[in-house]
Amino acid sequence: MIRLPAVGPSDIPVLETDRLRLRGHRLSDFVTSKAMWAQPQTAKHISGTPSTPAESWARLTRFVGMWSLLGFSYWYVEEKASNAFVGEVGFGDFKRDITPDIHGLPEIGWVLSPDMGGKGYATEAARAALAWGDENFGDTPTVCIIKADNFPSIRVAEKCGFKRKAETLFNGAPTLLFERVR
């Protein structure tokens, strides 16, 4: 299992692209994150059900906690020009009950606020996160799981160099497992 040195809130790396800033979550980010996760469009290809405020809070604290425990996690993504919330992208080790087993592998994920789709932000943010991962995970492959009918996310994964590794079920839904080897 990949474990990087634990980091505190001030040590979370800030990544920048031409248009985006990826930074650690702050307490004040709960409002925008909660609003995004409450939208049916956001949940459609992830859980299928919009998140309650308590579920959004648990997710935010999990993201913050993984930085401390694992040395990697999710970033809060914002537009550099406007500071507008774009979404969340990063890595986790979620201990998923899935076959094939992906425990210990950095699992990348991305989610955008519905009003930010169609601008190439998911690919841009994922590529920035993967570049950081390439510097920190060594030769360990990176994986992602995507519901089989989530064509926009499948396209993002392919643009980022992921190859389909397996078809599986996750939470009862047909799911594709992708892998990216450095």
Side-chain angles (χ1 to χ4, degrees):
M1 169 181 198
I2 292 286
R3 277 192 200 271
L4 302 174
V7 297
S10 63
D11 299 320
I12 296 170
V14 175
L15 311 180
E16 293 198 6
T17 69
D18 288 342
R19 302 181 296 165
L20 304 175
R21 181 178 306 105
L22 288 69
R23 60 165 176 79
H25 286 79
R26 301 176 187 142
L27 183 58
S28 59
D29 298 331
F30 176 62
V31 174
T32 50
S33 181
K34 175 183 72 167
M36 176 185 71
W37 285 101
Q39 296 185 43
Q41 203 174 348
T42 300
K44 179 180 177 185
H45 293 294
I46 300 171
S47 66
T49 305
S51 295
T52 66
E55 290 166 334
S56 292
W57 177 251
R59 182 180 298 106
L60 185 133
T61 59
R62 179 174 59 232
F63 289 165
V64 172
M66 281 194 296
W67 280 111
S68 176
L69 294 173
L70 302 175
F72 60 88
S73 185
Y74 274 62
W75 287 273
Y76 182 93
V77 182
E78 58 192 10
E79 287 180 324
K80 284 172 39 175
S82 67
N83 291 327
F85 176 58
V86 172
E88 295 165 329
V89 65
F91 302 98
D93 183 359
F94 299 108
K95 311 296 184 203
R96 299 190 193 277
D97 184 15
I98 191 170
T99 302
D101 185 9
I102 60 174
H103 290 136
L105 295 176
E107 178 188 338
I108 193 169
W110 50 84
V111 60
L112 296 186
S113 184
D115 58 329
M116 290 294 181
K119 299 178 182 183
Y121 285 163
T123 301
E124 188 173 333
R127 284 180 174 159
L130 287 163
W132 180 88
D134 287 347
E135 292 179 15
N136 290 278
F137 298 144
D139 293 332
T140 302
T142 304
V143 297
C144 65
I145 62 170
I146 303 172
K147 282 192 176 177
D149 63 350
N150 188 347
F151 302 113
S153 274
I154 291 169
R155 185 70 188 119
V156 169
E158 290 170 343
K159 285 190 219 175
C160 290
F162 283 88
K163 304 291 183 208
R164 189 179 303 194
K165 182 175 178 167
E167 295 180 23
T168 188
L169 289 175
F170 181 66
N171 291 338
T175 301
L176 303 175
L177 172 63
F178 289 83
E179 181 179 64
R180 179 179 172 271
V181 179
R182 223 177 102 164

